[in-house]
Amino acid sequence: MKFSTRLFLCLAIPAVMFIASLGNSVWGLVRTQSQFDTYIRTEQSIRTGLSEMYAQCLQMGHALRNMILDPANPKARENLTAALAAYDKAYANTAAIAKGTPFEAQIKLLPPLRAAQAQGQDKVITALEVDAASAIKTLNSAETPAWRALKAELLKQSEIARKLAATTHDSVDSGTSTAITLSI
């Protein structure tokens, strides 16, 4: 083999390996970025939405109880109205994100449970117009059981979302490790 051929091979082989490694690195970064973006836009956003809905339900309950404690306090009613609006917004955002994902069917289980809770809340507010004792009785018999059903579903879905997010994170992490190994 000629010296010039050997010299060319000594330069060409490392150059081809470098280009292949660089291409693999770029491909790995692009793939990781895409997977991470999907993770943030779907799994993580769904988890956040479910947590927000749970928090707003807690706020609704707190505001309703404040209304019973002090029916003349307008802030309690304002807080209830704000929590209702925030829950509806969180649900709408989460349902839009979940569309076309495995969570779509699960998210659709929430409106009937929330409607039952709203009905219980309305009964408490109506009973509060009579007196606090009947409002407390209605709270315990109508709103609290409805809240417990909604809470159970929200917590169940949050746990499923947490597990899915962990699985997706592990998948992205594994793909990134593979890309790093191939690049090295």
Side-chain angles (χ1 to χ4, degrees):
M1 184 181 301
K2 292 182 184 180
F3 178 74
S4 61
T5 305
R6 280 191 262 167
L7 185 60
F8 174 76
L9 288 176
C10 286
L11 293 172
I13 291 173
V16 168
M17 290 175 67
F18 175 77
I19 291 170
S21 177
L22 182 62
N24 181 64
S25 296
V26 170
W27 174 78
L29 286 171
V30 168
R31 191 181 90 215
T32 299
Q33 179 185 17
S34 173
Q35 289 175 322
F36 185 71
D37 286 347
T38 300
Y39 167 77
I40 293 296
R41 280 192 318 268
T42 55
E43 285 92 350
Q44 194 60 38
S45 293
I46 290 170
R47 274 187 79 188
T48 301
L50 290 167
S51 293
E52 179 65 17
M53 285 183 270
Y54 183 80
Q56 294 308 322
C57 283
L58 289 173
Q59 181 61 31
M60 285 181 235
H62 188 72
L64 197 60
R65 282 153 183 80
N66 283 345
M67 288 171 61
I68 293 170
L69 290 172
D70 185 4
N73 183 355
K75 188 65 177 169
R77 287 186 188 270
E78 290 171 19
N79 289 343
L80 179 61
T81 302
L84 291 168
Y87 177 92
D88 290 342
K89 181 179 178 186
Y91 176 80
N93 290 340
T94 305
I97 292 164
K99 193 168 185 149
T101 71
F103 267 98
E104 185 174 13
Q106 293 295 313
I107 296 295
K108 289 181 179 178
L109 298 175
L110 296 175
L113 295 171
R114 173 62 195 114
Q117 183 196 26
Q119 192 174 42
Q121 290 168 338
D122 290 342
K123 287 179 182 178
V124 171
I125 292 168
T126 301
L128 187 57
E129 293 171 4
V130 175
D131 67 355
S134 62
I136 291 169
K137 184 178 177 184
T138 306
L139 177 75
N140 290 329
S141 65
E143 195 276 341
T144 300
W147 155 238
R148 286 182 182 144
L150 178 58
K151 174 182 142 185
E153 186 61 32
L154 284 167
L155 291 175
K156 178 181 141 194
Q157 288 188 28
S158 292
E159 181 60 18
I160 293 168
R162 185 195 65 76
K163 287 178 182 177
L164 181 60
T167 301
T168 302
H169 179 269
D170 291 345
S171 174
V172 170
D173 194 39
S174 174
T176 302
S177 295
T178 300
I180 289 170
T181 301
L182 289 173
S183 293
I184 291 172

